[in-house]
Amino acid sequence: MGGLSMEELPLSALFEQARKIHLAASESGTDQDVVKKGCEMFQKCEDMIGKLGLFSSNETKEDISTNNLKYLLVPYYLAELTEKIIQEDRIQIVKASYAKLKEFFSFCEAMELVPDEELEASSRSSGAPADRRALKIARFKRQKAAEAKLLEIKERKERRGRSTKAAALSTPVESGEDDIPDDDSEEEREALLSSINLAICKAIDLLEMLKREEEMLSAIKERQLKDGEDGFSRDALDDRTKKAETWHRDAAARIQYSKPAQPITCATFAQDVLEGRASVSQGHDHKNQPLIFGPASIVGGPLSTERERMIAQVFQPSHRMPTMCIEDAGLTEMNIMNDWQEQTKKAIEEATTSWYNDKPLRRKEEDEEDDDEDEEAVMKARAFDDWKDDNPRGAGNKKLTPCG
């Protein structure tokens, strides 16, 4: 696998190689080429994670398998490696690292991994010094607890490995009888969750440090511009272009982990949002606006004079325009179907109730008919019995008797 290029490596192998570069860069100084290569690897990991769809905005940490938990740390590792890149324009590195850390924090917040006190602190712009100090102390304790937990799990694995090795040497194991390690074990999951909690604590501290550094660098740059440098130079324009590209790229990455906004159900309102005439946060009551064709200067403004009205009517279509949009027609049909269902349900209930109420009456009529039939049969049987009494057996056949 060592001869494969970055594009040919699977996600797990690519992540492990990039993580080794991150570990080496964290422990000691590393060559800048190696650091940039690690950043490229983590960016490739992000692309592969997005294409594979490993995570969803409606999932929590319980829904993610143990094998995929480690990939939650990709934005954090990329932010730390990006912060170690050395170049002349430091402010771009700080902004890129800050954006990745915000992406990691937002993703962990969506997965319900961030503590409540950190969420409350991030929602507040500023707080009292005592509150900030208490928050930092609590964060430091969580960081030490996570590091202790990782050390304990590591020592436990080493002891178990030594015991397994000693048992294998003392007792021969047949082929196929050795235990297969369970990647989704509770111990491995606990270690990954502790690593994520540790990364969250470090990310919050790094966010505060990068924010202060960006403020200082911006202040220095503004001071240099005021001292005589041209504010609209080529470098400033390139800086604005890079800022816009970074914002769009980070927004596209954050949209995978952020909670979805309310869907736009009106086509005309969606077109207004795309063309910049409206914002997604604005409300819309799904009312159809009349379509006016013509020059943009006339369509965009009010038709105040007769000349403007005539100009606006030049390119009007010859056919009649619709009185409602597709969304209004769908809502109207939905209301009609709801009314029809309610009427049908009411008719079924009335029919069921009438049949239930009429059942005893029909049973009574059937019982009366049965009683009449029984009484008629009894009277017929009694009349036949009386006739048999009046006409005994053999009466009227005297010629056939021997002594007749």
Side-chain angles (χ1 to χ4, degrees):
M1 187 173 291
L4 297 177
S5 62
M6 188 185 305
E7 288 75 13
E8 297 175 349
L9 286 175
L11 178 60
S12 57
L14 186 63
F15 176 79
E16 288 300 327
Q17 290 188 13
R19 193 174 63 85
K20 289 179 182 178
I21 295 176
H22 172 267
L23 184 60
S26 301
E27 292 178 351
S28 60
T30 310
D31 187 25
Q32 286 294 304
D33 294 336
V34 178
V35 174
K36 292 179 181 179
K37 182 180 179 181
C39 292
E40 293 177 0
M41 286 183 173
F42 280 123
Q43 289 174 357
K44 182 63 177 178
C45 288
E46 280 191 334
D47 296 339
M48 296 178 69
I49 290 170
K51 292 179 181 179
L52 295 174
L54 298 182
F55 307 116
S56 176
S57 58
N58 57 359
E59 289 180 342
T60 59
K61 58 184 178 181
E62 287 81 9
D63 301 326
I64 303 175
S65 64
T66 304
N67 292 332
N68 296 337
L69 271 177
K70 57 186 177 183
Y71 300 127
L72 294 177
L73 295 168
V74 170
Y76 171 73
Y77 289 155
L78 179 57
E80 282 200 332
L81 276 183
T82 304
E83 194 269 336
K84 297 181 184 300
I85 295 177
I86 300 175
Q87 69 178 25
E88 184 178 356
D89 192 4
R90 174 63 181 173
I91 192 169
Q92 294 297 329
I93 299 297
V94 172
K95 289 181 178 179
S97 179
Y98 186 85
K100 285 300 174 183
L101 287 175
K102 290 293 290 184
E103 177 185 337
F104 170 70
F105 188 81
S106 301
F107 193 21
C108 292
E109 180 182 356
M111 294 296 164
E112 300 179 358
L113 290 167
V114 183
D116 295 336
E117 57 264 22
E118 296 291 353
L119 293 177
E120 295 177 359
S122 62
S123 61
R124 297 193 303 264
S125 59
S126 61
D131 296 338
R132 292 199 300 269
R133 181 175 180 274
L135 186 63
K136 286 187 177 181
I137 292 174
R139 188 186 307 147
F140 179 76
K141 290 181 179 179
R142 288 197 307 271
Q143 180 176 346
K144 289 300 181 182
E147 291 176 351
K149 191 68 176 179
L150 289 173
L151 183 60
E152 178 187 352
I153 294 174
K154 182 180 179 181
E155 293 176 352
R156 195 188 310 162
K157 286 183 178 180
E158 292 177 354
R159 289 196 301 268
R160 187 165 57 250
R162 290 193 296 268
S163 301
T164 304
K165 187 176 180 180
L169 293 175
S170 60
T171 304
V173 181
E174 297 294 335
S175 177
E177 293 183 358
D178 50 340
D179 295 334
I180 300 176
D182 185 13
D183 293 336
D184 204 11
S185 62
E186 291 297 329
E187 187 178 70
E188 184 71 18
R189 190 176 186 85
E190 187 178 4
L192 290 173
L193 289 175
S194 299
S195 300
I196 294 173
N197 292 332
L198 179 61
I200 290 173
C201 296
K202 292 182 178 180
I204 295 173
D205 293 335
L206 188 56
L207 278 171
E208 296 178 356
M209 184 190 71
L210 291 176
K211 187 176 181 181
R212 289 194 296 268
E213 185 178 358
E214 182 182 358
E215 292 175 354
M216 290 188 294
L217 292 173
S218 300
I220 294 173
K221 192 172 184 179
E222 290 178 1
R223 182 66 179 271
Q224 291 175 353
L225 292 175
K226 288 181 180 180
D227 290 342
E229 292 187 3
D230 187 10
F232 295 96
S233 61
R234 185 66 182 175
D235 295 337
L237 294 177
D238 292 341
D239 180 53
R240 293 181 182 180
T241 304
K242 291 180 181 179
K243 184 185 298 183
E245 293 177 352
T246 304
W247 185 89
H248 286 289
R249 185 171 58 251
D250 295 340
R254 286 196 303 271
I255 198 64
Q256 303 175 4
Y257 314 125
S258 60
K259 296 182 179 179
Q262 292 295 331
I264 300 175
T265 57
C266 182
T268 56
F269 180 60
Q271 187 68 20
D272 292 340
V273 172
L274 291 177
E275 295 179 359
R277 293 190 297 269
S279 176
V280 180
S281 59
Q282 296 177 359
H284 187 69
D285 53 0
H286 303 285
K287 290 184 178 179
N288 183 41
Q289 300 294 332
L291 297 178
I292 301 176
F293 298 87
S297 60
I298 300 300
V299 175
L303 304 178
S304 57
T305 63
E306 185 66 23
R307 181 172 180 273
E308 292 177 349
R309 293 190 183 92
M310 293 178 66
I311 293 175
Q313 292 176 0
V314 170
F315 297 101
Q316 292 297 311
S318 58
H319 55 83
R320 297 179 62 183
M321 299 300 295
T323 57
M324 65 172 62
C325 60
I326 298 176
E327 291 77 17
D328 295 335
L331 293 175
T332 303
E333 290 183 1
M334 184 63 70
N335 294 331
I336 294 174
M337 289 300 298
N338 291 333
D339 296 338
W340 180 81
Q341 289 181 355
E342 291 179 359
Q343 293 177 3
T344 305
K345 183 179 179 181
K346 185 177 180 181
I348 292 174
E349 290 178 353
E350 290 178 357
T352 306
T353 307
S354 301
W355 174 82
Y356 181 81
N357 294 334
D358 293 341
K359 188 174 180 181
L361 180 61
R362 289 204 308 271
R363 189 185 297 114
K364 184 177 181 181
E365 292 176 355
E366 291 174 359
D367 294 340
E368 290 178 357
E369 291 177 0
D370 294 338
D371 293 339
D372 295 339
E373 292 177 358
D374 294 340
E375 185 177 356
E376 184 178 355
V378 170
M379 294 299 293
K380 188 175 181 180
R382 288 179 180 177
F384 186 69
D385 290 337
D386 294 341
W387 183 84
K388 286 195 299 182
D389 292 338
D390 297 336
N391 301 280
R393 182 179 179 81
N397 295 327
K398 295 182 178 181
K399 291 182 179 182
L400 299 177
T401 58
C403 298

